[in-house]
Amino acid sequence: MYDFIADLILHFLIMMMIPFAHKLISRRGVRMRIASPFLSVLILVLFLTITFPVEIAGSQFFDFKFIPVFVAFFYISPLSGFLTISVLVTLKGFFSPGDMWITLINYSIISALFFLASKFYQKCTFRQKLSVAVLFYLPITITRYVIFLQEDINEEAVYLLLFSASSIVTLSMIIYLIEMNLHQEKVMQKLRNADKYNAISQLAASVAHEIRNPMTTVRGFLQLLKNEKNLTEDQKKFIKISLEELDRTNLIISDFLSLARPDSPVSSKVSLSEVLVEVAEFMRPFGLMTKVEIRTTIYEGLFINGNQNEIKQLFINLIKNSVEAMPNGGLLEVSAFKNDTSADIHIKDEGVGISKDILQMLGQPYYSTKTKGTGLGLMISFDIINRLKGNYIIESAENKGTTFTIKLPLYISSEEIQHPSFQNLSKGQHNN
Ligand code: ADP
Ligand code: MG
């Protein structure tokens, strides 16, 4: 019994090399880059666990080889998984040639199942991942147990159960530690991005501010000129237009400054429905330039808490992107509905779509695939959604189109939403 426990502890310690190595190696970069050194550690662990197996009933040997195989498949790539299994079969063939065929058949089945599960695994939550691990390990335990019973080694079966329990606990701990590690990496990445973003917004704010000073001078001189007596009607008109345009520029800069400064915008109750209608109307001519029809289905009486200019900016950015994604024209649908506690806005285009690689880059400052793009639109938009305490989902299929779904929390005391009705702005279409 003591020997058995000592063996288990030894194996547990060997296995702990896996999360430890993951931590050390992944600190240097993202998941992909950890592939080869991490794989070497897995193979070393595999070698150790097979070389010093746990002995049960004098004739049966067990080890934790399942664990490095599992990690290689699900935390590096199926290819690494197959490689680990080849090493495993070779080692098995070396240490116990008699069992080699059973191992080969067993692990062929396991690798096929792992391969099928590997895509699905990436999308699982932590609990689901643990369930996957248990689900794979359970049949192994049951088959072993049946073999034990067949060979009439009943008394030792309890060791087998102990062994299986400890291997599943060990695997769960490893999954937990690796997941924690990946999570930490993600948070760090976000922090680094936030840093970059902060620097840019400060820079932009200071540039915008600097533009204001010369503008004030120009405005002052124009004002003086306006009072000049011997001006023609035309000249008076030009000066008036110039002053108006300067005021408009000033307004834009104010908006921009309020956008770039994270804490300044004042929040209030904003009619999301009205803002959406306004923005859609405002963007309609822009769409028509490339034959994009903007169709709206907007639920009336949606109110949210936020800064009106920011909310406008958010939808201008998204609609502009959707129009730009359809250079040969198409339909752009903007819809907004009331959900339980949120307003759900969909912006759906039939444009070029976004590939998986690009999807990961979205929202990073200066990331643009357009020749004249700034790559700031989405970054600002995501930041606004964040500040509105909302969230978003991007669904996209290449060459088919993209749908941005944004969920924004409704204004709390929403007595206004008593008789909601549909308002359809697009001509020739009526929904009730
Ligand atoms: P910009 O529009 O200046 O390129 P954005 O931050 O607004 O910058 O967008 C970044 C990138 O995201 C775009 O260059 C484009 O590749 C992609 N993108 C955003 N929205 C869409 C969309 N609706 N359809 C296809 N690609 C999109
Ligand atoms: Mg854009």
Side-chain angles (χ1 to χ4, degrees):
M1 183 73 181
Y2 284 122
D3 278 354
F4 175 72
I5 291 175
D7 272 348
L8 273 187
I9 293 174
L10 173 71
H11 278 256
F12 177 77
L13 289 178
I14 292 174
M15 289 301 141
M16 280 304 129
M17 282 169 69
I18 296 175
F20 195 65
H22 187 269
K23 173 82 201 154
L24 283 183
I25 296 165
S26 74
R27 203 189 281 164
R28 277 187 246 137
V30 280
R31 208 194 223 156
M32 281 318 200
R33 275 187 243 144
I34 67 173
S36 56
F38 189 47
L39 185 62
S40 325
V41 173
L42 289 181
I43 287 172
L44 174 70
V45 167
L46 186 72
F47 177 77
L48 290 175
T49 189
I50 292 181
T51 323
F52 307 104
V54 180
E55 192 186 318
I56 302 177
S59 61
Q60 303 282 325
F61 292 97
F62 291 102
D63 48 47
F64 282 5
K65 58 181 173 298
F66 179 78
I67 296 177
V69 171
F70 187 94
V71 175
F73 254 102
F74 293 116
Y75 288 97
I76 307 180
S77 63
L79 191 68
S80 317
F82 289 128
L83 220 112
T84 317
I85 285 186
S86 339
V87 174
L88 184 154
V89 173
T90 318
L91 281 174
K92 263 283 174 193
F94 187 72
F95 284 106
S96 47
D99 296 341
M100 199 184 124
W101 283 108
I102 301 174
T103 315
L104 191 62
I105 294 167
N106 271 349
Y107 274 87
S108 303
I109 298 171
I110 289 179
S111 54
L113 290 174
F114 277 10
F115 179 70
L116 290 177
S118 57
K119 266 205 173 145
F120 157 80
Y121 187 83
Q122 307 305 330
K123 291 180 199 135
C124 287
T125 61
F126 175 62
R127 275 192 190 176
Q128 287 167 333
K129 284 179 178 172
L130 285 186
S131 316
V132 169
V134 174
L135 217 74
F136 274 121
Y137 201 74
L138 222 55
I140 298 180
T141 310
I142 293 169
T143 8
R144 278 180 180 162
Y145 201 71
V146 170
I147 294 172
F148 259 60
L149 293 183
Q150 273 175 353
E151 292 185 2
D152 242 6
I153 15 187
N154 296 3
E155 310 105 67
E156 312 282 1
V158 63
Y159 284 107
L160 173 72
L161 288 183
L162 248 173
F163 174 81
S164 300
S166 41
S167 44
I168 198 67
V169 168
T170 311
L171 179 57
S172 305
M173 275 181 76
I174 290 172
I175 293 176
Y176 174 76
L177 290 170
I178 293 181
E179 288 293 328
M180 285 291 284
N181 192 19
L182 289 174
H183 178 71
Q184 200 183 10
E185 269 300 309
K186 250 191 223 161
V187 173
M188 287 303 288
Q189 190 64 39
K190 268 195 185 163
L191 268 179
R192 270 175 238 135
N193 273 348
D195 246 18
K196 248 193 257 173
Y197 167 53
N198 250 349
I200 289 167
S201 56
Q202 276 167 13
L203 217 72
S206 65
V207 170
H209 195 74
E210 284 309 310
I211 294 173
R212 258 190 180 170
N213 292 339
M215 262 177 50
T216 318
T217 320
V218 175
R219 198 181 188 288
F221 283 128
L222 278 175
Q223 196 80 43
L224 277 178
L225 265 182
K226 201 175 119 193
N227 300 332
E228 202 65 28
K229 286 202 179 89
N230 41 8
L231 284 177
T232 65
E233 275 310 302
D234 264 357
Q235 282 170 330
K236 272 186 193 157
K237 203 172 95 192
F238 294 154
I239 291 175
K240 188 169 162 272
I241 294 173
S242 302
L243 280 170
E244 279 168 8
E245 289 297 293
L246 272 179
D247 287 342
R248 210 164 66 93
T249 317
N250 203 20
L251 207 71
I252 294 170
I253 292 179
S254 299
D255 271 5
F256 179 72
L257 280 176
S258 76
L259 239 158
R261 223 178 289 135
D263 33 345
S264 64
V266 210
S267 285
S268 62
K269 182 179 169 184
V270 175
S271 166
L272 178 69
S273 311
E274 279 174 25
V275 167
L276 280 172
V277 169
E278 221 176 280
V279 170
E281 284 308 320
F282 175 70
M283 295 300 286
R284 208 178 287 283
F286 180 69
L288 287 177
M289 286 191 339
T290 48
K291 295 203 177 68
V292 173
E293 185 196 347
I294 302 179
R295 202 176 278 175
T296 51
T297 313
I298 293 161
Y299 203 81
E300 259 182 36
L302 291 172
F303 289 91
I304 57 172
N305 194 30
N307 177 278
Q308 177 140 342
N309 287 332
E310 278 192 356
I311 299 167
K312 270 188 200 163
Q313 186 68 54
L314 164 66
F315 293 114
I316 289 174
N317 288 352
L318 297 182
I319 292 176
K320 185 164 171 281
N321 279 346
S322 286
V323 170
E324 286 166 347
M326 297 187 277
N328 302 318
L331 180 65
L332 168 52
E333 292 177 272
V334 179
S335 53
F337 300 97
K338 182 178 176 279
N339 216 325
D340 279 350
T341 53
S342 67
D344 293 4
I345 305 110
H346 303 273
I347 295 171
K348 181 167 182 279
D349 66 54
E350 306 174 326
V352 291
I354 306 169
S355 71
K356 263 195 188 148
D357 295 340
I358 295 180
L359 208 59
Q360 289 183 334
M361 305 293 291
L362 292 192
Q364 297 211 6
Y366 302 125
Y367 182 78
S368 175
T369 55
K370 299 166 195 165
T371 36
K372 283 186 183 166
T374 60
L376 290 174
L378 282 184
M379 182 193 69
I380 291 177
S381 305
F382 294 161
D383 184 57
I384 295 172
I385 296 174
N386 248 345
R387 267 187 276 159
L388 293 170
K389 299 193 172 58
N391 50 52
Y392 61 89
I393 305 164
I394 306 170
E395 288 157 291
S396 189
E398 272 178 275
N399 296 321
K400 291 218 173 96
T402 309
T403 304
F404 273 79
T405 301
I406 300 128
K407 281 174 173 287
L408 300 174
L410 288 171
Y411 188 77
I412 310 283
S413 67
S414 48
E415 296 129 35
E416 288 80 5
I417 314 166
Q418 275 173 350
H419 306 290
S421 62
F422 278 98
Q423 186 198 20
N424 199 308
L425 281 159
S426 68
K427 290 171 191 91
Q429 211 206 337
H430 299 281
N431 283 348
N432 268 310

